[in-house]
Amino acid sequence: MGRVLEVEGLRKYFYQGSGRKRTVVHAVQDVSFCLNRGGALALVGESGSGKTTLARCLVKLYEPDRGSIRWDGVDVVPMGQKDFRPFRKRIQYVFQDPYSSLDPRMRVCSILEEPLVLHSTCSREERLELVERSLTAVGMDPTALGSFPGGFSGGQRQRISLARALVQEPECLILDEPVSALDVSIQAQFLNLLMQLREQKGYTCIFISHDLAVVKRVCEQVLVFYLGRIVEKGPVDRVFKDPRHPYTGLLLDSIPGSGRESREDSGQIPSNIEPPPGCSFHPRCPLDKVDRCFTDFPPFSQRDGHFWACYLSK
């Protein structure tokens, strides 16, 4: 299949305040991974772990401070927004909140047509055909095109958001917590739709979620984030069956009905303004720590494509 995305040494910091009161938020730190064409990759971790910041860097909604992002071998980090436009058509982002991501003053037809007006040279008739096709693909009737978003449920709005992403016939979809605002029954319908579309069209997907049960259902690979760093990565089945990093174990313990023995969680996630030195997880780690845990971030150990950053797990 070949690699569609290669990220190396990516770093993104945010700065708050000025002068002596200036603080640095370490949002993403030295992140590296790759994704094969047609694959489905999950980014998991608690709120504030860097998942969404990374995803927004991938589509240049945020400009990285360091590192490379290669789409089909082309590093897009040095590109301006004008040069990145051809990639934006191929890589579409579905936002978390179906209520705020759709303009309530625009009819559905205009919402779906807008990306084509901005990024396509096709005629009005061709645009309307693509709009209707994309709405039908997400299981909605074309009669919805004349309505405003306020007349639809959360699940329907998220389908409209997905249709807006599909209208440009992209190669990759980045879905940021797409079902977190939906009822459980509606979540299942949306996930079934997503898996059906992947099977039909072969989309490459990056799926951001804090719900590991959802990730296990829709993704093949997973990156586990903690305080802006990847602490474990590999095939979903292998990582979830045999987690090597203690943080991954704590996340898996939280899945209802997981049957796993509960581990003690000794605190909340620290601030990413002043992250702990060494292994950033050491203040919460339930294992018997060694001196290196407090001074140096662990290098990755690996076995059969399964990687983890922990001195205490072999």
Side-chain angles (χ1 to χ4, degrees):
M1 287 187 180
R3 290 180 177 175
V4 67
L5 173 63
E6 296 172 277
V7 175
E8 186 173 351
L10 196 71
R11 177 179 292 180
K12 178 62 182 176
Y13 291 168
F14 296 103
Y15 300 90
Q16 300 176 346
S18 60
R20 294 182 178 180
K21 295 184 178 180
R22 190 188 196 198
T23 57
V24 181
V25 178
H26 301 73
V28 173
Q29 301 190 68
D30 301 320
V31 165
S32 301
F33 67 94
C34 59
L35 175 61
N36 288 336
R37 191 176 308 278
L41 173 70
L43 313 182
V44 305
E46 294 166 296
S47 296
S49 61
K51 310 183 298 296
T52 293
T53 299
L54 170 63
R56 294 189 175 195
C57 286
L58 297 180
V59 293
K60 293 182 73 70
L61 292 176
Y62 295 151
E63 294 291 342
D65 297 315
R66 195 178 77 179
S68 63
I69 301 170
R70 293 187 292 274
W71 287 102
D72 285 330
V74 179
D75 187 2
V76 302
V77 170
M79 289 183 179
Q81 290 298 323
K82 182 178 179 181
D83 291 334
F84 185 69
R85 285 187 70 177
F87 290 89
R88 195 173 298 284
K89 177 180 178 180
R90 297 162 52 191
I91 310 156
Q92 289 294 300
Y93 201 109
V94 178
F95 294 90
Q96 176 178 359
D97 188 353
Y99 293 93
S100 62
S101 61
L102 301 176
D103 191 332
R105 300 164 297 179
M106 296 176 66
R107 297 183 189 274
V108 172
C109 183
S110 298
I111 290 172
L112 301 190
E113 188 182 9
E114 185 178 35
L116 297 174
V117 173
L118 295 174
H119 299 289
S120 176
T121 58
C122 58
S123 67
R124 167 71 172 173
E125 291 75 16
E126 291 171 326
R127 292 200 302 266
L128 292 178
E129 181 180 345
L130 288 170
V131 163
E132 185 171 327
R133 186 190 308 166
S134 66
L135 194 64
T136 303
V138 299
M140 292 190 66
D141 193 280
T143 56
L145 292 171
S147 302
F148 291 96
F152 298 98
S153 67
Q156 291 171 319
R157 293 187 195 200
Q158 198 62 304
R159 287 175 183 255
I160 294 170
S161 296
L162 180 58
R164 179 176 58 186
L166 299 181
V167 75
Q168 295 194 83
E169 301 179 317
E171 300 169 20
C172 180
L173 296 172
I174 300 178
L175 302 109
D176 189 351
E177 298 271 12
V179 297
S180 63
L182 307 180
D183 293 337
V184 174
S185 60
I186 307 301
Q187 286 184 15
Q189 295 175 15
F190 187 87
L191 294 174
N192 287 338
L193 170 64
L194 180 62
M195 290 188 291
Q196 180 182 351
L197 289 170
R198 279 198 63 217
E199 184 176 348
Q200 292 173 350
K201 301 292 186 177
Y203 294 120
T204 303
C205 289
I206 298 175
F207 195 95
I208 303 170
S209 182
H210 64 275
D211 189 332
L212 273 63
V214 169
V215 165
K216 188 174 182 180
R217 182 177 176 187
V218 300
C219 296
E220 296 100 28
Q221 298 283 324
V222 61
L223 307 179
V224 181
F225 278 80
Y226 187 78
L227 276 186
R229 294 182 182 271
I230 297 174
V231 296
E232 189 159 2
K233 59 184 177 180
V236 168
D237 290 343
R238 193 172 301 159
V239 171
F240 285 14
K241 182 178 180 180
D242 184 26
R244 308 305 298 168
H245 196 281
Y247 176 63
T248 310
L250 288 174
L251 289 179
L252 290 167
D253 291 345
S254 68
I255 301 177
S258 64
R260 292 176 50 84
E261 181 180 350
S262 179
R263 308 186 191 190
E264 180 184 358
D265 184 351
S266 56
Q268 298 299 314
I269 186 170
S271 169
N272 53 11
I273 294 176
E274 295 183 3
C279 173
S280 51
F281 187 63
H282 79 252
R284 299 173 64 186
C285 184
L287 305 180
D288 293 329
K289 293 172 279 290
V290 296
D291 290 345
R292 288 182 299 175
C293 298
F294 302 93
T295 58
D296 301 299
F297 189 82
F300 279 105
S301 302
Q302 74 96 11
R303 184 182 301 124
D304 299 328
H306 182 180
F307 297 80
W308 60 93
C310 180
Y311 291 119
L312 308 174
S313 180
K314 302 299 180 182

